[in-house]
Amino acid sequence: MAENTIQHLPDSGLFSEIDLAFADLMIRLSENKSPELYFSAALASRATSGGHVCLNLQDMADRPLAETGDPAVSFVCPPLDRWLRFLERTDVVGKPGAYRPLILDRRGRLYLYRYWQYEDRLARALTAMAGDDAPGRDDDLLKKGLAALFAPSTEGETDWQKVAVYTAVTKRLCVISGGPGTGKSTVISKILCLYAHLCRDRKMSVALAAPTGKAAARLREAVMSGMGPVPRDFRLGEALVPQAGTIHRLLGSITGSPSFRHNADNPVSAGLVVIDEASMVDLALMAKLVDALPRDGRLVLLGDRDQLASVQAGAVLADICPSERIPVFSNEFRARYGENACETIPAARDDDTGPGMPDCLVQLSRSYRFGTDSGIGALSRAVNRGDGKEAFHILQKGKRGDIGWRSLPPAKALKTSLKDLALEHFAPVIRADDPVDALSRLSRFRVLCALRKGPYGLEKINNLVEKLLGAESLIGTEGAYYHGRPVLINANDYARGLFNGDVGIVWKDPGTEGALRAFFVSPDQTLRKFLPAALPPHDTAYAMTVHKSQGSEFYHALLLLPDTHSPVLTRELVYTGITRARNRVEVWGSEPVFVEAVRRRTKRTSGLGEALWGPEV
């Protein structure tokens, strides 16, 4: 590497100020002031900013980082052997278990220390929990409870919802993955019913949580609606389903600190913790959550492993649920399940009984929402296979009424192209009778953007919709706030009880002679109002990014792709966007961009999957 690397890196545009500051710190702390250390430290920091847990040197070795156009500056990574030898001799780099700013493992993964520690702690904890049965099991009660909650299965078939519920109440760790409409909410409801039934006279303590306030609100609503008739002898009632909150609230956020009140020394007071939308949980938060569980506490994680990963570093659910390792059940577990559930689990392959996390992962694959005739279902399956050509063909055929394709309009024509959809779906919101009615109408439709910036990004689309509504005299055009403006909260505000992902609406408040207030519906369905200027950071919400849409569901959605390729356009983003729609989804884009997005899979570098399942994963 050229000696002028340090001089030119700050001006290259390849690294953030934080990356460079970390590299500067490593140079100050180390006796080795070499460009290689500066470069390696900056790369490791940049990797975590990009969602990776660590930097995989094998992926970068001998490769040009970027072409700067300046022949005097060649940003080329060192050959792997030389790079490894150099780092192993560097005093600020240590092996796993050492206390050094940077950790280099035997696979050539370079970590910032805290991320290695999060990954190591989480892997150890999950492996231990996966091997533990839940305490206090009563097989007689269990057998009767399963029979009361589930109808007998067809001969030779396995009811995977029943397997999920059984696993959740008999193991300390249960991870349930499934796409939209596969019955995850119903499974949670039945887990709570059976858990209450098994507790009987013992104190039952349950916590429901999700990564965002919006997802938490939907969690409790979905569980309540999925509860259904409850067997007469079950100890149940309204109190069975606790108020769902954010994971940060469950752990007890401390303002201005990354730490929480609840940790290994002060665990949460819940025997069963249920986390929905687990794909959105990053490595650091998941590690802190597992740390805060009681010694014999149970954890149930639910999510869709095919959705977008967390915004922060890590893809924890995907690492826990590698597709090639689901389902994995031991012969002992299958035998116990057969005795208690009166049905069988298919035998595992011979190579599924080796090291890993057997007996605690369940995949729900049957969709009760998207049947064989569903265009959304067919489209999502093609996207998950990475078959962009087939996915585009399904969209373009347009034979199914729940999907549609439109070639992306030029940026100058986008306002005209959006006009009919915007007036059809957002005019009724503004004409609603009250804030509750307005929010209900707003939930029927949303524009989902892949990007925040640019001619097809979130900010531009919200601006265009406002101009369209203003031209029809539906909204005021002066001032940041106006009657009917939908808002999306972007940060947790525990003092006000507003959380990242909450959606509200600005409305004329009759109680204050028509003054504008921002109204939000709480998880308990009460209506709360705030001065608009007092809201935490927020966006207008006619459009939202696909990332922000996770945990939401709309009757109709428009997925708007940009006109050029972008690193954020991946299979997971397309899948997440199209599956936010319950009844209909339209995709606007260009064929090359769409096909390439479906082909490209998100790859988050980490060692968690290997730590849980072995080096073959």
Side-chain angles (χ1 to χ4, degrees), residues 348-496:
R349 302 188 306 268
D350 290 341
D351 61 348
D352 280 340
T353 55
M357 294 175 44
D359 303 340
C360 61
L361 274 62
V362 182
Q363 175 71 32
L364 304 178
S365 55
R366 178 183 175 186
S367 178
Y368 297 89
R369 182 185 307 169
F370 305 133
T372 56
D373 296 330
S374 167
I376 297 176
L379 178 60
S380 64
R381 289 189 290 272
V383 170
N384 273 340
R385 292 194 302 270
D387 192 341
K389 291 288 187 182
E390 175 62 17
F392 180 72
H393 180 63
I394 291 170
L395 272 171
Q396 197 178 40
K397 281 193 305 185
K399 292 184 178 179
R400 293 161 171 155
D402 60 343
I403 58 175
W405 169 265
R406 178 170 178 174
S407 293
L408 189 67
K412 291 181 179 180
L414 192 54
K415 180 179 176 182
T416 302
S417 301
L418 282 170
K419 181 177 180 179
D420 289 344
L421 270 177
L423 294 180
E424 176 187 355
H425 293 285
F426 296 130
V429 174
I430 298 161
R431 292 171 176 148
D433 295 330
D434 53 56
V436 175
D437 183 29
L439 288 168
S440 175
R441 296 184 186 197
L442 179 66
S443 68
R444 298 183 64 85
F445 174 76
R446 204 61 49 89
V447 181
L448 304 179
C449 300
L451 306 175
R452 183 176 184 87
K453 304 284 187 180
Y456 300 95
L458 160 79
E459 295 176 356
K460 182 67 173 180
I461 301 306
N462 277 323
N463 182 259
L464 289 180
V465 172
E466 286 183 324
K467 288 180 178 179
L468 288 166
L469 297 176
E472 300 291 326
S473 300
L474 290 166
I475 63 172
T477 56
E478 295 181 2
Y481 298 102
Y482 52 82
H483 179 81
R485 179 190 171 189
V487 290
L488 173 70
I489 300 299
N490 289 328
N492 294 331
D493 185 334
Y494 290 91
R496 293 178 174 84

